[in-house]
Amino acid sequence: MADSTERNARHKRAMQRKKEHIDGRIAEATIDKGLLVILTGNGKGKSSSAFGMLARSVGHGLKCGVVQFIKGKWDCGEQKLFQDNPLVDFYVMATGFTWETQDREADIAAAQATWKHATELLSDPAIDVVVLDELTYMLTYGYLDKEMVLQALESRPPSQHVIVTGRNASKELIEIADTVSEVGETKHAFYDGVKVQKGIDY
Ligand code: ATP
Ligand code: MG
């Protein structure tokens, strides 16, 4: 009994110190600005995190734009959910993965046409949140000019949030970002022969 009283008191003191520390850090964070969030790495969870933030944003009534690079062949749940939502301008690049099209010229043309939609969103101050899903591949394959993309991201309206997903985000992209998460792969069911699952993968 005495033991647990002492333990509870120690816990309370530790939590009080923690609260003071956290409250101090919260009070120091006073800046309000549009963020560039990068979700990269080899693990699963990049696009689903981006669409989680989109759901939050729509929940708050924010105006959003989505441009999905690469995908478009699958019957994505996020597209079904958001494409008819008046708060979301949803654009999907019409080609599949580059290893499916196997046509570099067609991929480049599709990437550039898709990028035009992204630049429209990135120059519109009425758009609060922009998701550029799988954008990094357009840069690693050299389908879009790196400088052009960096410039468009940096000159966007100051209060606009942008979320970029895709593996191998470049050093330059990471440098200009505010928040970067690298999703690591610990396990993936695919390697156990499990096919893509509705709701979890698409
Ligand atoms: P999600 O859309 O599920 O958040 P992601 O955006 O992190 O995934 P992508 O590289 O875009 O990952 O891959 C999309 C699809 O490939 C999803 O069906 C996902 O489950 C699957 N996938 C993701 N990571 C891996 C992996 N490491 N190995 C095999 N398949 C993967
Ligand atoms: Mg993805």
Side-chain angles (χ1 to χ4, degrees), residues 16-67:
Q16 278 167 342
R17 280 196 301 275
K18 195 178 176 87
K19 180 168 164 53
E20 272 165 35
H21 175 71
I22 294 172
D23 285 351
R25 297 292 299 271
I26 291 172
E28 280 168 24
T30 54
I31 303 165
D32 213 2
K33 64 172 277 207
L35 300 175
L36 174 59
V37 179
I38 312 267
L39 300 162
T40 192
N42 292 335
K44 170 181 163 53
K46 302 174 289 293
S47 298
S48 38
S49 167
F51 285 101
M53 285 181 260
L54 182 73
R56 284 181 172 169
S57 303
V58 170
H60 287 295
L62 299 179
K63 283 203 75 180
C64 303
V66 178
V67 180

Side-chain angles (χ1 to χ4, degrees), residues 67-113:
V67 180
Q68 278 194 301
F69 292 87
I70 296 191
K71 281 186 193 160
K73 288 206 160 175
W74 291 346
D75 192 17
C76 294
E78 56 265 35
Q79 190 185 347
K80 289 180 161 186
L81 179 65
F82 292 116
Q83 72 183 356
D84 297 323
N85 190 307
L87 287 171
V88 185
D89 178 354
F90 206 112
Y91 185 84
V92 185
M93 187 157 121
T95 59
F97 290 101
T98 48
W99 55 89
E100 277 170 0
T101 64
Q102 299 169 8
D103 182 344
R104 191 166 179 276
E105 290 298 316
D107 282 351
I108 292 173
Q112 291 178 352

Side-chain angles (χ1 to χ4, degrees), residues 42-48 134 167 185 188 190-191 201:
N42 292 335
K44 170 181 163 53
K46 302 174 289 293
S47 298
S48 38
E134 320 297 352
R167 296 176 194 206
E185 185 198 82
H188 196 291
F190 174 69
Y191 297 106
D201 293 306

Side-chain angles (χ1 to χ4, degrees), residues 135-166:
L135 173 67
T136 60
Y137 303 101
M138 303 298 103
L139 301 170
T140 39
Y141 288 123
Y143 293 173
L144 296 176
D145 180 67
K146 205 160 72 180
E147 284 310 315
M148 174 186 77
V149 170
L150 293 172
Q151 159 71 26
L153 289 171
E154 286 198 294
S155 56
R156 73 187 191 278
S159 63
Q160 187 181 75
H161 299 303
V162 179
I163 304 153
V164 171
T165 79

